[in-house]
Amino acid sequence: TINDQLEETGLNGSATLGRCIELEPAFRYADLPPPPRVMMEPPPVKKMRLMSNPLSWTPEQVSEFLANHKDQEISQLAQAFKQEQIDGPAFMLLNLPTILDQWTIKFTTAYSLCRLIESVKLSFYLHFANHG
């Protein structure tokens, strides 16, 4: 019977002490091709100097910050951010998956927005994080 065969091989769920089946790995990391050069390092974060701490920004200040951006596709998002009441702390928590999930915008615009957010974060850490 099947149960007898399973018992003989130790596959019936009643564990036999000291016996286990060792499986070969499906692949080895060393056998994978190297990632493309573009994925080796993250893109550089542009440094900027903010006039105020982004953690204290109101939705109106976030909207104004975006409206004044040189990239027209980013500046056009200002009104949407104001309508959604995105303040400074919420702005700094945004990431690419969230942006793509919550707004219907082009990937390139979302990517540019994320890079801008990373620049704001860097400025925050350099100029405001240690100063209270």
Side-chain angles (χ1 to χ4, degrees), residues 1 4 8 18 20 24 27 37 68 78 84 88 105 109 113 116:
T1 69
D4 292 335
E8 287 176 13
C20 65
E24 291 292 319
F27 65 92
R37 185 83 186 129
N68 292 328
E84 294 289 332
I105 59 175
T109 304
L113 178 60
L116 177 62

Side-chain angles (χ1 to χ4, degrees), residues 120-132:
V120 170
K121 289 180 189 178
L122 178 62
S123 181
F124 165 76
Y125 288 121
L126 292 176
H127 302 113
F128 300 102
N130 294 326
H131 302 119

Side-chain angles (χ1 to χ4, degrees), residues 1-129:
T1 69
I2 290 186
N3 284 338
D4 292 335
Q5 291 173 352
L6 291 174
E7 214 167 280
E8 287 176 13
T9 60
L11 298 176
N12 67 346
S14 62
T16 310
L17 293 177
R19 276 182 42 181
C20 65
I21 299 172
E22 190 168 325
L23 299 175
E24 291 292 319
F27 65 92
R28 293 179 341 159
Y29 184 74
D31 295 336
L32 295 175
R37 185 83 186 129
V38 73
M39 293 176 59
M40 297 293 277
E41 296 179 21
V45 176
K46 293 180 182 175
K47 290 186 178 181
M48 63 171 53
R49 179 73 177 173
L50 299 173
M51 302 313 291
S52 62
N53 186 338
L55 286 181
S56 65
W57 288 357
T58 64
E60 290 76 21
Q61 289 171 308
V62 171
S63 177
E64 182 181 335
F65 174 75
L66 293 174
N68 292 328
H69 195 270
K70 64 182 177 194
D71 183 339
Q72 186 178 5
E73 290 184 352
I74 299 254
S75 63
Q76 290 176 346
L77 296 173
Q79 190 59 36
F81 273 67
K82 189 174 184 179
Q83 287 176 341
E84 294 289 332
Q85 292 292 297
I86 306 291
D87 61 5
F91 181 72
M92 290 179 43
L93 287 174
L94 289 174
N95 58 36
L96 187 60
T98 302
I99 291 168
L100 291 172
D101 185 52
Q102 296 299 315
W103 288 293
T104 308
I105 59 175
K106 294 189 309 185
F107 178 84
T108 53
T109 304
Y111 183 78
S112 296
L113 178 60
C114 287
R115 292 193 61 194
L116 177 62
I117 293 168
E118 291 303 314
S119 294
V120 170
K121 289 180 189 178
L122 178 62
S123 181
F124 165 76
Y125 288 121
L126 292 176
H127 302 113
F128 300 102

